[in-house]
Structure formats: C-alpha cells, structure tokens
Amino acid sequence: MTPDAIAQIYASEIVSGFDIYKPEKLNVLFNRYGDQGLSYFQILRSMGFEEPVSQDTYGHYEENRIHEICIVNANVSQPAQGADISFTLSPNSLDANNNFYVRKWDIILFPNEVTGSVVNIDVSTPSAPVITCRLNDSTERFPALTAGQELVIFTNAFSEGSGQPTGAIRGVWEYTNDCQIIKETIGVTGSEMTNQTWIELTSAGFKTPGYYFLGQVDIDYRMSLRIDGALLWGKRTVNTNLVDSVTGRRIKTTEGLIPYIRRVGNEQTYTSGSFSVTEFDEMDRTLDREHAGNYILGLLGIQLHQDIENALVNYFANTNIQYARQTVNEALFNNNESLAASVNFKYLVKSERTFLFKRMAVLSHPKLYGATGYEGPKLGIFMPINKKKDPVSGNMVPSIGVRYKALGKYSRRMEVWQVGGAGEGLKVTDIDAQNTYQRCHIGAHFRGGNQFVLLET
C-alpha cells in the first residue's frame, strides 16, 4: 500500500508551494525566508521550460551539420612546386561505418590560400582513406600539413559531360537522459498543527481546503536545492551495481547541465580576478562558430559575476539595454512584468547578442558548491535560450528545460502527502505527530550542447 491511498481520504491536505503559488510569487517567498537566492529549477519554471514525459528515459534528435571539413590524421611534408599532395583522413572525419564527407572533384582551400581539386580517394584501408589533391595553379605549392589540421572544402568543379557525384546526407544525433526520483520529509507534532495558516486552493475548478505553514517553505526550498543539484551536477548512473537492497531496483539519475557541457559543449578558462573583455570576445567567437542564437543566458557564481561587472561596466550602461529587457520579456515571460522582475536578469548587449546574466546564489552557498575546496563561486554557464524542431518527431525542443513524469491526470512533478497520528482525517499511528512527505520524479533536458560554454578558472 502506498501513502497516496491514505492521503486521499483526508478532510484537508497539505500542499506544496510549487503548486499553490505562481513562479514569481514563490521566487519572492524563497528570497523572503533567508534571502537564499533563486534556484536554477525556479528559473526554468519561470520561463515555462518544463514539460511532462511518460517514460523514465526520454530524449530527442538533433540534426548534424550540413557541411563538413577534412581533418588530417598525420603530418605531411611540403611537396615540391606543382606537385600533388596526399594525406590520410583522421578518424574524426569518419563515422562508425567509415563514411566520410569529402568527395572526388571537391576543391580544398589550404591555409596558405592555395587550392587543389581532389583527384583520387584511396579506400583500400576503409578506416584510413587517403585523399590526393592536385593544384589548380601548377605554379603554386601546397603547404606542409600537421596532424589534426582542418582543411576547408569550399567548392567543387566537374568536366563537361561528367556524371553526378555521390550523394551527401546529414544524419541526426540522439540525446537521451533519465528521470530521477527525489524525496524529502518533515515532521510536525499534533500541537504545532493547530498553528497553521489556512488557504483555499482552487484546482481544475474545484475548491479544496488545505493548510500551509512555515515548515512547508523549508521543505520546498530543500527540495529545490536537491532538484538543482540533479539538474546542475548529476551524472547518469551506469553502474549496474547501484541497486536498492530493499526494492531490488536500480537507482536512476539524470545528467545535469555541467557534466553535459563537459561531454558535448565548450570549456573556456579565465584568470580569477582579472577577467577582461577579450575573454568575453573569445566566448562570443565560440558562440558564433557554433551558430548560437541572439539570447544567451549566463548563470554565474558570485566571484565571476563581480569580475564580469568590473570588466564590462561600460557595456552594462549600453542604451540598448532597456530595449533588450522589453524584447526578452516578450520572448521569455509573455510580457509578464512581475515574473520578469522576480527573476531579475541583468542585461548586456554586445556583439549583436543579448546576454542575460543571473548571479546564482546556490553556486556560492557555503553549505553547497561554495564550500571550501569547491569552485562554484568562480563558475559561469552560458547557453542559448531558444527552441528548435526535432527532425524525427517534429516537436519543438527548448535548449534547456526539465522533464517530469506524468501520464493522464497523474503527475509526479511535485507530490505531497501526510501520514501520522495527529491532525484531521484517519489516524494511522498512535504517535501525536504528522509526517509530511514530498516527492518528485524529474530529469534535465538540454539541446544543442555544442553552443554551451562553461567558463572556469
């Protein structure tokens, strides 16, 4: 028997702040009780980036690039003037079936601006194709090549009467992640239960009596911290030996934002205390290379936030800031001024992009990632805020978000129920106390990680 069946017969129910308050109200409430800061989970909720999913494991597909480069596998000496050059393709230019992008009669632009047509591709060793290029201008000379060097295919040229080249396709990259069950509990004595504040909760057109008390703020905030930990730092469990000895079932965990960026995104280092505009320009070049959009969210630890403010104080005074704030409010918050104000982004317009900065108190929390030996206060996480179509399902997938388990009317987004021997309704123990349980079943969801940047020392 599960506690849900017991809770259903109560005359009154205790409810979570995640269910009774709009995001902007709960944001302010959390700040009021100790000014502990807005959680990453709350930011996602405020922007509406949460969706239900019916399976523990979920995902989407992302389209690969339409065009590719050649990567050289090993050093090649510079040939003589007018001579051909041959190089072996790097394994990074091949897929699992040894397919590659470059085709005969493609023309490659070398770094010294010499051009050469691909006249032969030797695939006698399928995993190590050898590309031979011939100069378009025989008076020129191909440069020496180094292992790992990138070569650009910039055009192609065919003879009159020739046939068509082999077809080129782009594949899709599959993203998957798992939902994670997170739980929390608080206990209240029977006497304390007479000191509660009553509210009237309207849900789906029905009025339900319920009560809400300060301890519930605590459990909600502790839950948000645990959710934050999973969404930011969690790693998917691949250890088959991590099994609950009571239930016999495996523990599933979700991959969080930072491990996801380290796996598929970009890492950039900076010197703490001397952040400069050039660091920001380097990151912007990365975003541009990966075709990131116009709105970039930056979640910052306190030390990095201060460094950026000191370095970019003049940029923050940009006259376009007010326009950017209005545009972002329309795009992300549906013109909800109070919701935008409760999240309180700081805006920067630079390099034709709008950056939304948010100091994340959780990164400098002395009992969490700001503890001695942890680098949370110096971290910065930058990612585009947009939606793109899944080429397989056709669904629009946001760049960041959270998924929660739900099917039909049953949602495991945030469940709260009571078991005890005090309070209204059926008593199930002889103890003059009431335990309140909270449970959620959620997971992180990210898209386009190649456009994400982790800034660290």
Side-chain angles (χ1 to χ4, degrees), residues 6-7 10 12-14 185-193 196 211 213 417-437:
I6 298 170
Y10 280 4
S12 61
E13 297 177 349
I14 190 166
T185 302
I186 57 172
V188 182
T189 65
S191 184
E192 175 62 20
M193 295 185 70
Q196 311 315 319
Y211 51 85
F213 60 103
W417 74 101
Q418 291 180 324
V419 174
E424 298 183 34
L426 180 67
K427 311 297 188 293
V428 295
T429 73
D430 61 351
I431 306 300
D432 184 15
Q434 189 78 269
N435 283 316
T436 299
Y437 301 126

Side-chain angles (χ1 to χ4, degrees), residues 118-191:
V118 176
V119 295
N120 187 58
I121 302 178
D122 181 356
V123 292
S124 55
T125 303
S127 61
V130 177
I131 311 299
T132 300
C133 291
R134 183 161 297 162
L135 288 163
N136 297 111
D137 183 344
S138 58
T139 65
E140 294 184 329
R141 188 179 184 186
F142 286 118
L145 304 178
T146 58
Q149 185 167 350
E150 297 180 349
L151 299 177
V152 173
I153 302 168
F154 76 107
T155 188
N156 60 32
F158 297 85
S159 66
E160 185 176 352
S162 61
Q164 286 294 114
T166 304
I169 61 171
R170 59 170 165 168
V172 293
W173 180 77
E174 184 179 9
Y175 167 87
T176 58
N177 208 348
D178 293 319
C179 278
Q180 176 174 330
I181 300 173
I182 301 174
K183 300 180 180 182
E184 188 54 88
T185 302
I186 57 172
V188 182
T189 65
S191 184

Side-chain angles (χ1 to χ4, degrees), residues 216-265:
Q216 187 65 34
V217 177
D218 294 341
I219 193 175
D220 282 342
Y221 192 76
R222 283 198 296 272
M223 278 292 286
S224 75
L225 292 180
R226 282 155 178 73
I227 293 170
D228 263 25
L231 299 183
L232 287 173
W233 301 93
K235 295 183 179 181
R236 292 181 78 182
T237 298
V238 295
N239 184 355
T240 57
N241 293 323
L242 186 58
V243 177
D244 187 322
S245 59
V246 176
T247 66
R249 295 186 175 93
R250 289 181 55 197
I251 303 293
K252 290 187 177 182
T253 51
T254 197
E255 182 184 38
L257 179 55
I258 292 174
Y260 170 75
I261 296 176
R262 294 197 189 280
R263 181 169 64 89
V264 303

Side-chain angles (χ1 to χ4, degrees), residues 39-53:
S39 69
Y40 173 62
F41 178 51
Q42 278 298 96
I43 290 177
L44 294 178
R45 293 191 67 236
S46 297
M47 294 189 296
F49 288 173
E50 55 177 352
E51 298 178 16
V53 64

Side-chain angles (χ1 to χ4, degrees), residues 83-99:
D84 295 348
I85 192 169
S86 296
F87 61 89
T88 303
L89 276 182
S90 164
N92 292 332
S93 287
L94 282 69
D95 70 5
N97 298 312
N98 294 322
N99 297 312

Side-chain angles (χ1 to χ4, degrees), residues 15-22 26 45 201-202 220 413-416:
V15 292
S16 166
F18 291 107
D19 296 319
I20 65 173
Y21 288 114
K22 292 181 179 180
L26 196 57
R45 293 191 67 236
L201 172 65
T202 302
D220 282 342
R413 174 178 163 274
M414 196 65 66
E415 294 182 283
V416 181

